[in-house]
Each structure stands twice: as structure tokens, then as C-alpha cells.
Amino acid sequence: MCLFCKIIKKEIPAKIIYENEKVLAFEDIEPVAPFHILIIPKEHINTINDLDDKKAAVFADMMMAAKNIATAQKIKNKSYRLIINAGEDAGQTVFHIHMHMIAHRKLCSL
Ligand code: 5GP
Ligand code: ZN
């Protein structure tokens, strides 16, 4: 079982900040900003490259989680960046789809 599936099953502790039937969000262990969480689907999917039409629905749930978290966590100006690394060369180190949500830091333009 992958690391994030173990976090979903509460076999590995994490600072959970949001949870519903489809998604879980918890603090990143090595934050790169004052607010840095990971939003993950409860269904195990390795990478975006493994999505199909049915599995892709998890992204609607992940985006709604981001929106709800921005309100619940009082993210300043509701301004945040969402990042997904897909594949090793892009920096993906945990192969269970996850979206980084980063805020409360000045972020450079892309
Ligand atoms: P990636 O580089 O795959 O896009 O992001 C993986 C993220 O998972 C990294 O930012 C890393 O800090 C985080 N991470 C790795 N292991 C753990 C862990 O055991 N607990 C938590 N909360 N985050 C982790
Ligand atoms: Zn997993």
C-alpha cells in the first residue's frame, strides 16, 4: 500500500485539515510556504497519466475541496496556488495523485 493510502487509512499520522467521502487534505511534512497542504483522492491513482473518463471525476472533488478549504482556513484574499507534479521528471515523488495547495507566501508569476 502506498504512503498516502496509509495516511487515508490513518495508519500513518498526518495533520488532517479536511476530509469527505472522496478526498482528504493534510499538511505537507516539508512545507514550502506558511500554508502548504496536499489534497488527495481517496481512490488510489498513481498519476494523471493513469486517469480515464471515470477516474477524472476525482478532480472536481479535489477542486471543490480547495475552494472549501480556502474559506474554512481563511486563506488571505482567497489566493493560493495549486500544483500537480505528474511523473518523475516533473518532481513527483509520491505516486498517488495529489494536488499541492500553497498560500500565505508571495509567489512568482509563471
Ligand atoms: P510530490 O513531490 O510527489 O509532488 O509531493 C510529495 C509531497 O509529499 C512532498 O511535498 C513531501 O514533502 C510530502 N510528503 C512526503 N512524505 C510525507 C509524509 O509522510 N507525510 C506528509 N504529510 N507529507 C509527506
Ligand atoms: Zn495510494
Coordinates of all heavy atoms in Angstrom, one line a residue, residues 15-74:
K15 N -1.5 15.7 9.7 CA -2.3 16.8 10.3 C -3.4 17.0 9.2 O -3.3 17.8 8.3 CB -1.5 18.0 10.5 CG -0.6 17.9 11.7 CD 0.1 19.2 12.0 CE 1.1 19.0 13.2 NZ 2.1 20.0 13.3
I16 N -4.5 16.3 9.5 CA -5.7 16.4 8.5 C -6.4 17.7 8.7 O -6.8 18.0 9.8 CB -6.6 15.2 8.7 CG1 -5.8 13.9 8.2 CG2 -7.9 15.3 7.9 CD1 -6.4 12.6 8.6
I17 N -6.7 18.4 7.6 CA -7.4 19.6 7.8 C -8.8 19.6 7.0 O -9.6 20.5 7.2 CB -6.6 20.9 7.3 CG1 -6.4 20.9 5.8 CG2 -5.3 21.0 8.0 CD1 -6.5 22.3 5.3
Y18 N -9.0 18.6 6.3 CA -10.3 18.5 5.5 C -10.5 17.0 5.1 O -9.5 16.4 4.6 CB -10.3 19.4 4.3 CG -11.5 19.4 3.5 CD1 -12.5 20.4 3.8 CD2 -11.7 18.6 2.4 CE1 -13.7 20.4 3.0 CE2 -12.9 18.6 1.7 CZ -13.9 19.6 2.0 OH -15.0 19.6 1.2
E19 N -11.7 16.5 5.2 CA -12.0 15.2 4.8 C -13.4 15.0 4.4 O -14.3 15.6 5.1 CB -11.6 14.2 5.9 CG -11.9 12.7 5.5 CD -11.3 11.7 6.5 OE1 -10.9 12.1 7.6 OE2 -11.1 10.5 6.0
N20 N -13.7 14.4 3.3 CA -15.1 14.0 3.0 C -15.0 12.6 2.4 O -13.9 11.9 2.4 CB -15.8 15.0 2.1 CG -15.2 15.2 0.7 OD1 -14.6 14.2 0.2 ND2 -15.4 16.3 0.1
E21 N -16.1 12.1 1.8 CA -16.1 10.7 1.3 C -15.1 10.5 0.2 O -14.6 9.4 0.0 CB -17.5 10.5 0.7 CG -17.9 9.1 0.5 CD -19.2 9.1 -0.3 OE1 -20.1 10.0 -0.2 OE2 -19.4 8.1 -1.1
K22 N -14.8 11.5 -0.6 CA -14.0 11.3 -1.8 C -12.5 11.8 -1.6 O -11.6 11.3 -2.3 CB -14.6 12.1 -3.0 CG -16.0 11.6 -3.4 CD -15.8 10.3 -4.1 CE -17.2 9.7 -4.4 NZ -17.8 10.0 -5.6
V23 N -12.3 12.8 -0.8 CA -10.9 13.4 -0.7 C -10.5 13.6 0.7 O -11.3 13.6 1.6 CB -10.8 14.7 -1.5 CG1 -11.3 14.6 -2.9 CG2 -11.6 15.8 -0.8
L24 N -9.2 13.7 0.8 CA -8.5 14.0 2.1 C -7.5 15.1 1.9 O -6.9 15.1 0.8 CB -7.8 12.7 2.6 CG -7.1 12.8 4.0 CD1 -8.2 12.9 5.1 CD2 -6.2 11.6 4.2
A25 N -7.4 16.0 2.8 CA -6.4 17.1 2.7 C -5.6 17.2 4.0 O -6.2 17.1 5.1 CB -7.0 18.4 2.4
F26 N -4.3 17.2 3.9 CA -3.4 17.3 5.1 C -2.2 18.1 4.9 O -1.8 18.3 3.7 CB -3.1 15.8 5.6 CG -2.5 15.0 4.5 CD1 -1.1 14.9 4.3 CD2 -3.2 14.3 3.6 CE1 -0.5 14.2 3.3 CE2 -2.7 13.5 2.5 CZ -1.3 13.5 2.4
E27 N -1.6 18.5 6.0 CA -0.4 19.4 5.9 C 0.8 18.6 5.3 O 1.0 17.5 5.6 CB 0.0 19.9 7.2 CG -1.0 21.0 7.8 CD -0.6 21.5 9.1 OE1 0.5 21.2 9.6 OE2 -1.4 22.3 9.7
D28 N 1.5 19.3 4.4 CA 2.7 18.7 3.8 C 3.8 18.6 4.9 O 3.9 19.6 5.7 CB 3.2 19.5 2.6 CG 4.2 18.8 1.8 OD1 5.4 18.5 2.3 OD2 3.9 18.4 0.6
I29 N 4.5 17.5 4.9 CA 5.5 17.3 6.0 C 6.7 18.3 5.8 O 7.4 18.6 6.8 CB 6.0 15.8 6.1 CG1 6.4 15.4 7.4 CG2 7.0 15.5 5.0 CD1 6.5 13.9 7.6
E30 N 7.0 18.7 4.6 CA 8.1 19.7 4.3 C 7.5 20.9 3.6 O 7.7 21.0 2.4 CB 9.1 19.0 3.5 CG 10.0 18.1 4.2 CD 11.2 17.6 3.4 OE1 12.0 18.4 2.9 OE2 11.2 16.3 3.1
P31 N 6.8 21.8 4.4 CA 6.1 22.9 3.7 C 7.1 23.9 3.0 O 8.2 24.1 3.6 CB 5.4 23.6 4.9 CG 6.1 23.1 6.1 CD 6.6 21.8 5.8
V32 N 6.7 24.4 1.9 CA 7.5 25.3 1.2 C 6.9 26.7 1.3 O 7.4 27.7 0.7 CB 7.7 25.0 -0.3 CG1 8.4 23.7 -0.5 CG2 6.4 25.0 -1.1
A33 N 5.8 26.8 2.1 CA 5.1 28.1 2.3 C 4.4 28.0 3.7 O 4.2 26.9 4.2 CB 4.1 28.3 1.2
P34 N 4.0 29.1 4.3 CA 3.3 29.0 5.6 C 2.1 28.2 5.5 O 1.7 27.6 6.5 CB 3.0 30.5 5.9 CG 4.0 31.3 5.1 CD 4.3 30.5 3.9
F35 N 1.4 28.2 4.4 CA 0.3 27.3 4.2 C 0.6 26.3 3.0 O 0.8 26.8 1.9 CB -1.0 28.1 3.9 CG -2.2 27.2 3.8 CD1 -3.0 26.9 4.9 CD2 -2.6 26.6 2.5 CE1 -4.1 26.1 4.8 CE2 -3.7 25.8 2.4 CZ -4.5 25.5 3.6
H36 N 0.8 25.1 3.3 CA 1.1 24.1 2.3 C 0.4 22.8 2.6 O 0.8 22.1 3.6 CB 2.6 23.9 2.2 CG 3.1 23.0 1.1 ND1 4.4 22.8 0.8 CD2 2.3 22.2 0.2 CE1 4.5 21.9 -0.2 NE2 3.2 21.5 -0.6
I37 N -0.6 22.4 1.9 CA -1.3 21.2 2.2 C -1.3 20.3 0.9 O -1.0 20.8 -0.2 CB -2.7 21.4 2.7 CG1 -3.6 22.1 1.6 CG2 -2.7 22.2 4.0 CD1 -5.1 21.9 1.8
L38 N -1.7 19.1 1.0 CA -1.8 18.2 -0.1 C -3.3 17.7 -0.1 O -3.9 17.4 0.9 CB -0.9 16.9 0.1 CG 0.6 17.3 0.2 CD1 1.3 16.0 0.6 CD2 1.1 17.8 -1.1
I39 N -3.9 17.8 -1.3 CA -5.3 17.3 -1.4 C -5.2 16.1 -2.3 O -4.7 16.1 -3.4 CB -6.2 18.4 -2.1 CG1 -6.2 19.7 -1.3 CG2 -7.6 17.9 -2.3 CD1 -6.9 20.9 -1.9
I40 N -5.7 15.0 -1.8 CA -5.6 13.7 -2.5 C -7.0 13.0 -2.6 O -7.8 13.2 -1.7 CB -4.6 12.8 -1.8 CG1 -5.2 12.3 -0.4 CG2 -3.3 13.4 -1.6 CD1 -4.3 11.2 0.2
P41 N -7.2 12.3 -3.7 CA -8.4 11.5 -3.8 C -8.2 10.2 -2.9 O -7.1 9.7 -2.7 CB -8.4 11.0 -5.3 CG -7.0 11.0 -5.7 CD -6.3 12.1 -4.9
K42 N -9.3 9.8 -2.3 CA -9.2 8.5 -1.5 C -9.0 7.3 -2.4 O -8.5 6.3 -1.9 CB -10.5 8.4 -0.6 CG -10.5 9.4 0.5 CD -11.5 9.1 1.5 CE -11.3 10.0 2.8 NZ -12.4 9.9 3.7
E43 N -9.4 7.4 -3.6 CA -9.1 6.3 -4.6 C -7.6 6.4 -5.0 O -7.1 7.4 -5.3 CB -10.0 6.5 -5.8 CG -9.8 5.4 -6.9 CD -10.6 5.7 -8.2 OE1 -11.3 6.7 -8.2 OE2 -10.5 4.8 -9.0
H44 N -6.9 5.2 -4.9 CA -5.5 5.2 -5.3 C -5.4 5.3 -6.9 O -5.9 4.4 -7.6 CB -4.8 4.0 -4.8 CG -3.4 4.0 -5.3 ND1 -2.3 4.5 -4.5 CD2 -2.8 3.6 -6.5 CE1 -1.2 4.4 -5.2 NE2 -1.5 3.9 -6.4
I45 N -4.7 6.4 -7.3 CA -4.4 6.5 -8.8 C -3.0 7.0 -8.8 O -2.6 8.0 -8.1 CB -5.3 7.6 -9.4 CG1 -6.8 7.2 -9.2 CG2 -5.0 7.6 -10.9 CD1 -7.8 8.4 -9.6
N46 N -2.1 6.3 -9.5 CA -0.7 6.7 -9.5 C -0.4 8.1 -9.9 O 0.3 8.9 -9.2 CB 0.1 5.7 -10.4 CG 0.3 4.3 -9.8 OD1 0.1 4.1 -8.6 ND2 0.7 3.4 -10.6
T47 N -0.8 8.4 -11.1 CA -0.5 9.7 -11.7 C -1.7 10.2 -12.6 O -2.5 9.4 -13.0 CB 0.8 9.7 -12.6 OG1 0.5 9.2 -13.9 CG2 1.9 8.9 -11.9
I48 N -1.6 11.4 -13.0 CA -2.6 11.9 -14.0 C -2.6 11.0 -15.3 O -3.6 10.9 -15.9 CB -2.3 13.4 -14.4 CG1 -2.7 14.3 -13.2 CG2 -3.0 13.8 -15.6 CD1 -2.5 15.7 -13.5
N49 N -1.4 10.5 -15.6 CA -1.3 9.6 -16.8 C -2.1 8.3 -16.7 O -2.3 7.7 -17.7 CB 0.2 9.3 -17.0 CG 1.0 10.5 -17.2 OD1 0.6 11.4 -17.9 ND2 2.2 10.6 -16.6
D50 N -2.6 8.1 -15.5 CA -3.4 6.8 -15.3 C -4.9 7.1 -15.3 O -5.7 6.2 -15.0 CB -3.0 6.1 -14.0 CG -1.6 5.7 -14.1 OD1 -1.3 4.9 -14.9 OD2 -0.8 6.2 -13.3
L51 N -5.3 8.4 -15.5 CA -6.7 8.8 -15.5 C -7.5 8.2 -16.7 O -6.9 8.1 -17.8 CB -6.9 10.3 -15.5 CG -6.5 11.0 -14.2 CD1 -6.7 12.5 -14.4 CD2 -7.3 10.6 -13.0
D52 N -8.7 7.9 -16.5 CA -9.7 7.7 -17.6 C -10.9 8.6 -17.3 O -10.9 9.3 -16.3 CB -10.1 6.2 -17.7 CG -10.6 5.6 -16.4 OD1 -11.2 6.4 -15.6 OD2 -10.5 4.4 -16.2
D53 N -11.9 8.6 -18.2 CA -13.0 9.5 -18.0 C -13.7 9.4 -16.7 O -14.1 10.4 -16.1 CB -14.1 9.2 -19.1 CG -13.6 9.8 -20.5 OD1 -12.6 10.5 -20.5 OD2 -14.2 9.4 -21.5
K54 N -13.8 8.2 -16.1 CA -14.5 7.9 -14.9 C -13.6 8.5 -13.7 O -14.1 9.2 -12.8 CB -14.8 6.5 -14.7 CG -15.7 6.1 -13.5 CD -16.3 4.7 -13.7 CE -17.0 4.3 -12.4 NZ -16.1 3.7 -11.4
K55 N -12.3 8.1 -13.7 CA -11.4 8.5 -12.6 C -11.2 10.0 -12.6 O -11.0 10.6 -11.5 CB -10.1 7.7 -12.8 CG -10.1 6.3 -12.4 CD -8.8 5.6 -12.6 CE -8.9 4.1 -12.2 NZ -7.8 3.4 -12.7
A56 N -11.3 10.6 -13.7 CA -11.0 12.1 -13.8 C -12.0 12.9 -13.0 O -11.7 14.0 -12.6 CB -11.0 12.5 -15.3
A57 N -13.1 12.3 -12.6 CA -14.1 13.0 -11.8 C -13.5 13.4 -10.4 O -14.0 14.3 -9.8 CB -15.4 12.1 -11.6
V58 N -12.5 12.7 -10.0 CA -11.9 13.0 -8.7 C -11.4 14.4 -8.7 O -11.3 15.1 -7.6 CB -10.8 12.0 -8.2 CG1 -11.3 10.6 -8.1 CG2 -9.6 12.1 -9.1
F59 N -11.1 15.0 -9.8 CA -10.5 16.3 -9.9 C -11.6 17.4 -9.5 O -11.2 18.4 -9.0 CB -9.8 16.6 -11.2 CG -8.4 16.2 -11.1 CD1 -8.0 14.9 -11.5 CD2 -7.4 17.0 -10.6 CE1 -6.7 14.5 -11.4 CE2 -6.1 16.6 -10.4 CZ -5.7 15.4 -10.8
A60 N -12.8 17.1 -9.9 CA -13.9 18.0 -9.5 C -14.0 18.0 -7.9 O -14.1 19.1 -7.3 CB -15.2 17.6 -10.1
D61 N -13.9 16.9 -7.3 CA -13.9 16.8 -5.9 C -12.7 17.5 -5.2 O -12.8 18.2 -4.2 CB -14.0 15.3 -5.4 CG -15.2 14.6 -6.0 OD1 -16.3 15.1 -5.9 OD2 -15.0 13.5 -6.5
M62 N -11.5 17.3 -5.8 CA -10.3 17.9 -5.3 C -10.4 19.5 -5.4 O -10.0 20.2 -4.5 CB -9.1 17.4 -6.0 CG -8.8 15.9 -5.7 SD -7.7 15.1 -6.9 CE -6.2 15.9 -6.6
M63 N -11.0 19.9 -6.5 CA -11.1 21.4 -6.7 C -12.1 22.0 -5.7 O -11.9 23.1 -5.2 CB -11.5 21.7 -8.1 CG -10.4 21.5 -9.2 SD -9.0 22.5 -8.9 CE -7.9 21.9 -10.1
M64 N -13.2 21.3 -5.5 CA -14.2 21.7 -4.6 C -13.6 21.8 -3.2 O -13.9 22.7 -2.4 CB -15.5 20.9 -4.6 CG -16.4 21.2 -5.8 SD -16.9 22.9 -5.9 CE -17.9 23.1 -4.4
A65 N -12.8 20.8 -2.9 CA -12.1 20.7 -1.6 C -11.2 22.0 -1.4 O -11.3 22.7 -0.4 CB -11.3 19.5 -1.4
A66 N -10.5 22.3 -2.5 CA -9.6 23.5 -2.4 C -10.4 24.8 -2.1 O -10.1 25.6 -1.3 CB -8.8 23.7 -3.7
K67 N -11.5 24.9 -2.8 CA -12.4 26.0 -2.6 C -12.9 26.1 -1.2 O -12.9 27.2 -0.5 CB -13.6 26.0 -3.6 CG -14.6 27.1 -3.5 CD -15.9 26.8 -4.2 CE -16.9 27.8 -3.7 NZ -18.2 27.5 -4.2
N68 N -13.4 25.0 -0.7 CA -13.9 24.9 0.7 C -12.9 25.2 1.7 O -13.1 25.9 2.7 CB -14.6 23.6 0.9 CG -15.9 23.4 0.1 OD1 -16.5 24.4 -0.3 ND2 -16.2 22.2 -0.2
I69 N -11.7 24.7 1.5 CA -10.6 24.9 2.4 C -10.2 26.4 2.4 O -9.9 26.9 3.5 CB -9.4 24.0 2.0 CG1 -9.7 22.5 2.3 CG2 -8.1 24.4 2.7 CD1 -8.8 21.5 1.6
A70 N -10.2 27.0 1.3 CA -9.8 28.4 1.2 C -10.7 29.3 2.1 O -10.2 30.2 2.8 CB -9.9 28.9 -0.2
T71 N -11.9 28.9 2.2 CA -12.9 29.6 3.0 C -12.7 29.2 4.5 O -12.5 30.0 5.4 CB -14.3 29.3 2.6 OG1 -14.5 29.7 1.3 CG2 -15.3 30.1 3.5
A72 N -12.7 27.9 4.7 CA -12.6 27.4 6.1 C -11.3 27.8 6.8 O -11.3 28.1 8.0 CB -12.7 25.9 6.1
Q73 N -10.2 27.8 6.0 CA -8.9 28.1 6.6 C -8.5 29.6 6.5 O -7.4 30.0 6.8 CB -7.8 27.3 5.9 CG -7.9 25.8 6.0 CD -7.6 25.3 7.5 OE1 -6.7 25.7 8.1 NE2 -8.5 24.5 8.0
K74 N -9.5 30.4 6.1 CA -9.4 31.9 5.9 C -8.1 32.2 5.2 O -7.3 33.0 5.6 CB -9.3 32.5 7.3 CG -10.7 32.3 8.1 CD -10.7 33.1 9.4 CE -12.0 33.2 10.1 NZ -12.5 31.9 10.5

